[in-house]
Amino acid sequence: MGLAPRPDATSVSFDPPSQEGWITTRLDMLVNWGRAGSLWPMPFGTACCAIEFMASAASRFDLARFGMERMSFSPRQADVLICAGRVPFKLAPVIRRIYQQMPQPKWVISMGACASSGGMFDNYAVVQGIDTIIPVDVYVPGCPPRPEGLMYGIMMLQEKVKRERMSDTTLRDEMEPDPSSNLYIRPSLIDEISEPFGNSVHQTRSGL
Amino acid sequence: MSETFAVIHAGHAAPGSSAPATQRKVAHRGGARNPSAERIAERFAHYFVRAEVIWGDTNVYLKPEGVLEVVRYLHDDAAEQYDYLVDVTAVEYRDLELPVEMVWHLRSIPYRRFVRLKSPLPKGQPLRVPSVWPVYMSADWLERECYDMFGIVFEGHPDLRRILMWEQYKEGYPLRKDFPLRGRFSRAEQLRQALTQNPEAKYSMEELSIADAFEDLPRDMRQRLAGGERTGE
């Protein structure tokens, strides 16, 4: 209801004009089926979204149905980084390091308004969206999102995983941050998207 | 074992005991004054400014230079026994003239007393106040937070550095009224500076627990710390 229909990711179409062979597409399907069905999350919970995430993992909503019951608290055995909650600037290098320590293939779910955009915390201490630090695959809106919302995001990620093709050579490229600024997105763009109301320097509201 | 369990309702004394019940209908100003305020006024007349009772709590205003002496008296004297430092914080008013106020909350558990010490620090000069760490070691992190957020320097504090913001934070003191809500730098610059921290080199040799466990640390961390890296941030 209200959502645009998405192409069916469970069926792989054989496209003779493309370079992919029948065997490759079938193998893709098998590998992607295996990956999508056993995503191991690395929970990065910093705020109330983490409570909803715990509820999703508990028996009523039961993430185990998605093959995700094994929370990986070591990034080296994780597939999905689920960032649940606001990320202060002090944690920015930590989440960047955790992302870099995860082996490929890896995906990121940004759970909740604060992780996706800074949410209501438009202040000096909070990162305005973790996509300014690490690449994000799925954004789950909500403050915090209910477990159903997170599961919808997880299912979207599963469909994204199922659509991956081995013939795509750029799929597993690690993004290299810009060496001068250490950012993935160029600084002017970050300023543009994170400051809809003008330069922060002019945001003094105390009248002093 | 045959004694029945008596329910003690909030705001009431235990049945049969003479413990004071929680006061109701507290006046905004006036009321019973904490007897410690009178004794501070007598003993430390040269530091004492004034005392008032607000919402049943006694505020004692002191000159900043005498705070440590008064706090030591309150802690050590047998008739006071303020053995619990509840909080150390500061208040800045949205006014160019009014001074920044340092606030100490002290509680005497044996005598069931509470006193709030306040000390004005005039604006336009360095904000300096003696640390109460020699009396209450729990003031360590409270004063570090106060320094981090307001820039108040606590003289005599053993390790005065930022605690909430990272140590290389260059934008100033976030809870000051002249600090813009979003910080002074642009978002990209804030992010760039935050990302230059090394999250793995978090611990310094000054932290005793690490020095004790030095031999058990991973080799790269040992090399880093042995090289004289102090804080790593």
Side-chain angles (χ1 to χ4, degrees), chain A residues 73-86:
Chain A
F73 289 95
S74 156
R76 295 179 201 282
Q77 279 92 38
D79 299 310
V80 194
L81 174 61
I82 299 184
C83 180
R86 67 193 88 95

Side-chain angles (χ1 to χ4, degrees), chain B residues 68 130-141 143 155-158:
Chain B
L68 180 58
S131 168
V132 299
W133 179 82
V135 183
Y136 298 103
M137 280 174 77
S138 64
D140 187 343
W141 283 16
E143 289 181 352
E155 289 160 334
H157 190 283

Side-chain angles (χ1 to χ4, degrees), chain B residues 9-197:
Chain B
H9 294 284
H12 297 273
S17 80
S18 60
T22 304
Q23 225 184 324
R24 291 163 191 277
K25 290 189 182 172
V26 180
H28 178 203
R29 280 171 190 278
R33 181 178 284 197
N34 186 331
S36 304
E38 312 305 330
R39 293 201 278 270
I40 293 172
E42 282 168 27
R43 278 171 175 260
F44 302 97
H46 44 304
Y47 296 141
F48 181 82
V49 180
R50 67 194 159 92
E52 62 191 12
V53 181
I54 291 185
W55 294 120
D57 291 338
T58 306
N59 293 357
V60 180
Y61 288 79
L62 302 167
K63 289 177 184 163
E65 61 269 22
V67 167
L68 180 58
E69 231 172 289
V70 174
V71 165
R72 180 167 277 140
Y73 159 73
L74 289 176
H75 178 260
D76 293 347
D77 194 274
E80 308 286 355
Q81 290 192 43
Y82 283 86
D83 46 8
Y84 177 31
L85 176 71
V86 182
D87 201 2
V88 177
T89 185
V91 183
E92 182 178 9
Y93 295 94
R94 192 180 288 178
D95 188 305
L96 287 171
E97 306 295 323
L98 285 176
V100 178
E101 265 178 5
M102 272 303 304
V103 183
W104 293 265
H105 290 183
L106 300 179
R107 187 171 283 281
S108 165
I109 293 173
Y111 289 105
R112 299 187 178 213
R113 285 187 202 143
F114 176 83
V115 69
R116 186 182 293 120
L117 304 180
K118 286 195 171 194
S119 184
L121 307 175
K123 284 186 187 172
Q125 57 194 43
L127 304 173
R128 304 182 80 84
V129 74
S131 168
V132 299
W133 179 82
V135 183
Y136 298 103
M137 280 174 77
S138 64
D140 187 343
W141 283 16
L142 299 173
E143 289 181 352
R144 273 177 69 185
E145 182 185 350
C146 202
Y147 163 74
D148 190 0
M149 291 288 127
F150 289 96
I152 293 163
V153 175
F154 292 87
E155 289 160 334
H157 190 283
D159 182 26
L160 195 64
R161 57 196 166 103
R162 287 188 181 271
I163 186 169
L164 295 177
M165 309 309 285
W166 58 99
E167 287 181 36
Q168 272 74 44
Y169 188 68
K170 296 190 186 73
E171 295 181 50
Y173 302 104
L175 286 192
R176 296 271 276 268
K177 289 287 184 242
D178 58 357
F179 189 90
L181 177 64
R182 293 167 155 192
R184 293 186 198 280
F185 300 157
S186 75
R187 288 298 187 196
E189 176 62 15
Q190 286 174 340
L191 207 54
R192 192 190 68 75
Q193 292 200 359
L195 286 172
T196 54
Q197 308 165 78

Side-chain angles (χ1 to χ4, degrees), chain A residues 83-160:
Chain A
C83 180
R86 67 193 88 95
V87 178
F89 280 119
K90 203 172 178 179
L91 270 183
V94 176
I95 189 171
R96 156 84 55 99
R97 183 65 62 94
I98 286 174
Y99 178 75
Q100 286 171 342
Q101 282 175 342
M102 285 167 61
Q104 290 279 14
K106 57 186 172 185
W107 299 273
V108 178
I109 294 180
S110 166
M111 180 182 175
C114 301
S116 305
S117 71
M120 59 189 278
F121 300 98
D122 188 9
N123 59 22
Y124 64 94
V126 175
V127 172
Q128 301 300 300
I130 59 165
D131 48 3
T132 55
I133 316 170
I134 52 176
V136 174
D137 292 288
V138 176
Y139 300 86
V140 180
C143 185
R146 281 187 55 86
E148 293 96 325
L150 178 63
M151 282 178 189
Y152 187 71
I154 288 168
M155 281 151 68
M156 284 177 78
L157 182 67
Q158 284 184 331
E159 292 194 14
K160 180 173 180 172

